[in-house]
Amino acid sequence: MRQPRIAVVGAGISGICMGIALQRAGFTDYTLFEKGADFGGTWRDNTYPGLVCDVPSRYYQFRFAMNPEWTQLYSTGPEIKDYLVRVAREHGLHTRTRFGIEVTAAAYEAGSWRVTTSDGETREFDFVMCATGFLHHPNRPDIPGLGEFAGPVVHSARWDHSVELSGKRIGVIGTGSTGTQLVSALAGQVPKVVLFQRTPQWILPTVNRTYRPLSKAIYRRVPALSALVYGVHRMIFAAFSQGLVHPGRIRRFIQWVVARNLRSVKDPELRAKLTPDYQAMCKRLVVSDRFYAAVQRPDVELVTSGIERVRPDGVVTADGIVHDLDMLVLATGFDSHAFMRPIAITGTAGRTLDQVWADGPRAFEGVMMPDFPNLFMLIGPHSPFANHPLTAVAEAQASRIIGWLKRWQAGEFGTIAPTHAATDRYNARLRAAAPSTVWTTGCKSWYLGKDGLPELWPWSPGRYEKLIRSVPDPADYRLERAEVRK
């Protein structure tokens, strides 16, 4: 049986998942291209102090690679990275991966894709899988004078471990999950932490308990227990997701929980500064068992006045106060709308990705696009990635892609892409459903696109998995029986 030539771009969660899916389905001619030095994606790049996943460990894993050795309810970044590397290597992906090689361009020509890499090489492939994720281009804020600061300036996603933290007064800019984790980790470890808050966050309380050796031994001896606990987490998250996409009891309950948690801040003035003016979950919900305790410490200062400029010795805020600092940390997130860019991707008739996404990223079912035959995406636009494990999304999308590859092997088509009509209908349904979601209730977040609507799946993740694992409607696709390689 003929083997398609396949390029997988990226070796993070979705790239690892895709590579293993290809291997398990019997495909042998595939290459993973990874610009970094190892597997792991965002879990390789992010190494800042206090990094913890906000999805439970026993749910944030591949169903085909259950891990009985998790040490905590919510795993640290290094532990997740080690898990991903181990799974990838156990499945032999290191022999298929070109590390330190970035894909710079991909152009569709005469029935195949010409992929150019940073080493100047160009190779032809029948299929390209873009597993680049969406949290890999750090967003560096445009603050006047930032380049003049005399001390270290580090972005949370590019942490410089050569910088000695002890004895430093550290300013943290940003109050999302990263900013709250950094403050929680740094408080009490350095003389002063100043948190510059533009928008307060709702904090969901939790207890990050440690798994004891006996617990891990039981999971090792009874593998079915991992699947059972995974299913329990899945049901809990399914219920939680109803609050994201529909107003009602779940949404009101979450609001009650986070408001009650905020009351643990005793100082009424500080509590007022930490109180958001939007609904819980409108922004990605922050999960923390340490932040409110940390921000109430005497060596932690919360600043709500806007940053006017940075000068060599610190930060000047709009109220005229100078905050003397030795180090600045930018917990300012990522360009979450970039997806595969800056790769120069060109489809049929010379149409580029930048052209078709001029008004914002859009795709068909989060996996394919018109005019880009045999190009697939994992964790693409409008995938369900809000407070949901990307492992589950990647597995579902990989299964859809494998289905198409098998049909290609059977000779049913040479190239495939969704039709414009099907893509327009699909995106119109997404837009129509968006207003009922919590993400459109009045806050600004990285979920929102240029049109002010969330670039997220507006229904439950379970509904998406059911869709993506179903048999595709042939009327939604343009299949070309072009001459293909023997």
Side-chain angles (χ1 to χ4, degrees):
M1 185 174 290
R2 59 185 180 148
Q3 287 287 344
R5 301 164 298 179
I6 301 168
V8 180
V9 186
I13 285 176
S14 55
I16 292 170
C17 183
M18 191 71 246
I20 294 173
L22 290 169
Q23 184 183 92
R24 297 173 75 185
F27 295 99
T28 58
D29 191 355
Y30 63 93
T31 303
L32 279 73
F33 295 92
E34 171 51 56
K35 63 183 178 182
D38 204 348
F39 297 104
T42 191
W43 296 106
R44 177 201 61 230
D45 294 343
N46 285 266
T47 59
Y48 61 82
L51 174 59
V52 177
C53 184
D54 58 8
V55 178
S57 310
R58 300 202 187 281
Y59 193 31
Y60 198 86
Q61 60 180 335
F62 297 122
R63 276 171 280 196
F64 57 80
M66 295 291 193
N67 178 25
E69 307 298 333
W70 295 115
T71 62
Q72 297 179 121
L73 177 61
Y74 296 94
S75 293
T76 64
E79 187 171 15
I80 295 173
K81 190 254 187 180
D82 289 346
Y83 164 76
L84 293 172
V85 171
R86 177 177 60 78
V87 170
R89 290 186 173 275
E90 284 179 352
H91 286 82
L93 293 190
H94 56 291
T95 65
R96 302 278 187 168
T97 305
R98 298 187 63 195
F99 292 108
I101 299 295
E102 186 171 3
V103 172
T104 58
Y108 179 78
E109 299 176 8
S112 64
W113 283 92
R114 292 177 57 82
V115 174
T116 302
T117 50
S118 53
D119 59 356
E121 184 180 36
T122 298
R123 293 172 57 185
E124 289 194 6
F125 295 92
D126 298 302
F127 292 90
V128 173
M129 322 296 187
C130 293
T132 52
F134 59 97
L135 298 179
H136 57 110
H137 294 301
N139 180 31
R140 189 177 176 90
D142 185 16
I143 301 174
L146 185 59
E148 300 172 11
F149 186 67
V153 179
V154 298
H155 192 282
S156 58
R158 300 292 184 267
W159 195 263
D160 185 351
H161 291 273
S162 68
V163 175
E164 178 59 51
L165 302 182
S166 63
K168 285 187 170 59
R169 298 163 298 176
I170 300 177
V172 177
I173 301 175
T175 51
S177 292
T178 299
T180 57
Q181 289 181 357
L182 276 162
V183 170
S184 300
L186 294 173
Q189 305 302 310
V190 297
K192 182 78 172 180
V193 177
V194 180
L195 174 61
F196 296 94
Q197 173 187 277
R198 183 172 61 181
T199 307
Q201 302 282 344
W202 288 112
I203 309 292
L204 185 69
T206 188
V207 176
N208 192 10
R209 65 186 182 89
T210 299
Y211 291 127
R212 300 191 179 191
L214 177 60
S215 172
K216 291 188 281 187
I218 292 173
Y219 276 92
R220 284 194 296 269
R221 291 182 64 87
V222 188
L225 186 58
S226 290
L228 176 63
V229 173
Y230 184 98
V232 171
H233 283 307
R234 184 178 176 86
M235 288 189 292
I236 294 172
F237 270 71
F240 171 81
S241 71
Q242 293 303 311
L244 293 171
V245 299
H246 297 297
R249 288 181 298 174
I250 298 295
R251 193 178 294 182
R252 290 194 297 271
F253 174 71
I254 296 295
Q255 185 67 57
W256 176 82
V257 170
V258 296
R260 182 180 176 85
N261 187 39
L262 180 59
R263 292 205 294 269
S264 66
V265 179
K266 302 306 180 184
D267 180 0
E269 183 177 346
L270 178 60
R271 186 167 61 246
K273 291 180 179 180
L274 291 167
T275 302
D277 61 359
Y278 55 86
Q279 289 188 36
M281 303 185 295
C282 184
K283 294 177 178 286
R284 184 182 177 97
L285 195 58
V286 176
V287 180
S288 177
D289 59 349
R290 301 170 60 192
F291 176 67
Y292 283 153
V295 79
Q296 294 180 80
R297 291 177 56 92
D299 52 2
V300 175
E301 179 183 359
L302 178 69
V303 176
T304 58
S305 184
I307 295 176
E308 185 176 280
R309 68 183 187 278
V310 175
R311 65 186 208 181
D313 59 347
V315 171
V316 182
T317 45
D319 54 10
I321 296 176
V322 178
H323 303 271
D324 295 326
L325 298 167
D326 305 303
M327 178 178 179
L328 280 177
V329 178
L330 308 178
T332 48
F334 302 84
D335 179 1
S336 60
H337 306 284
F339 292 99
M340 301 93 76
R341 294 175 286 191
I343 302 173
I345 300 179
T346 306
T348 58
R351 300 197 70 189
T352 68
L353 182 67
D354 285 341
Q355 289 172 338
V356 300
W357 280 4
D359 295 324
R362 64 196 300 269
F364 182 65
E365 298 180 347
V367 178
M368 302 180 73
M369 296 182 293
D371 300 323
F372 293 83
N374 291 8
L375 178 77
F376 294 98
M377 293 172 287
L378 292 103
I379 321 295
H382 294 98
S383 293
F385 47 72
N387 288 96
H388 187 70
L390 300 186
T391 47
V393 180
E395 285 186 64
Q397 293 175 336
S399 70
R400 166 63 67 88
I401 296 169
I402 292 296
W404 284 122
L405 292 177
K406 289 182 177 179
R407 293 176 67 173
W408 183 91
Q409 274 191 323
E412 293 186 27
F413 66 90
T415 62
I416 183 173
T419 66
H420 283 276
T423 304
D424 291 342
R425 288 194 303 270
Y426 177 78
N427 280 270
R429 291 197 298 270
L430 298 179
R431 290 173 59 84
S436 70
T437 68
V438 72
W439 307 304
T440 60
T441 56
C443 70
K444 293 182 179 180
S445 76
W446 58 267
Y447 291 150
L448 303 181
K450 291 182 178 180
D451 57 3
L453 294 177
E455 292 179 351
L456 293 172
W457 174 254
W459 299 288
S460 71
R463 180 170 170 177
Y464 180 80
E465 288 193 39
K466 183 178 180 180
L467 166 71
I468 211 68
R469 291 183 182 276
S470 64
V471 177
D473 185 347
D476 291 337
Y477 298 89
R478 180 176 179 179
L479 284 76
E480 296 284 349
R481 291 184 176 276
E483 181 179 349
V484 294
R485 282 187 310 111
K486 302 295 184 182

